[in-house]
Amino acid sequence: MITGEERLRENLTDLYSNIVFFDGGPTQTQIERADAIAREIIDVQREFDAWTTRELAGINAACGARSWKPIAVITRQQWEAAGQ
């Protein structure tokens, strides 16, 4: 079974290779596919944000009960800065 993450990654990889190995510019179909993938990524981000809003407080309360550090969601900029 393919998870949503794998499916999205495979679709993006397929689109990338189709564009890179095509002699001309991107076709209208490829542009539309890129837009569709971008919308899927936005949907995944919204679902994650909704999940963290709904669930993270309870998870962090359970972590606190065990003297564990709470889980903090970081921004994209914080993540990129940490990788440098």
Side-chain angles (χ1 to χ4, degrees), residues 20-38:
V20 168
F21 295 111
F22 182 70
D23 288 335
T27 65
Q28 186 61 35
T29 302
Q30 291 168 335
I31 292 169
E32 291 169 2
R33 186 67 192 127
D35 290 340
I37 291 171

Side-chain angles (χ1 to χ4, degrees), residues 10-63:
E10 288 177 5
N11 286 338
L12 186 56
T13 301
D14 288 343
L15 176 63
Y16 176 80
S17 63
N18 288 338
I19 291 172
V20 168
F21 295 111
F22 182 70
D23 288 335
T27 65
Q28 186 61 35
T29 302
Q30 291 168 335
I31 292 169
E32 291 169 2
R33 186 67 192 127
D35 290 340
I37 291 171
R39 286 190 302 274
E40 285 185 58
I41 291 171
I42 290 168
D43 289 344
V44 169
Q45 289 172 331
R46 284 188 191 134
E47 289 175 21
F48 178 76
D49 291 342
W51 180 84
T52 57
T53 299
R54 188 178 58 248
E55 302 290 335
L56 196 55
I59 293 169
N60 281 336
C63 288

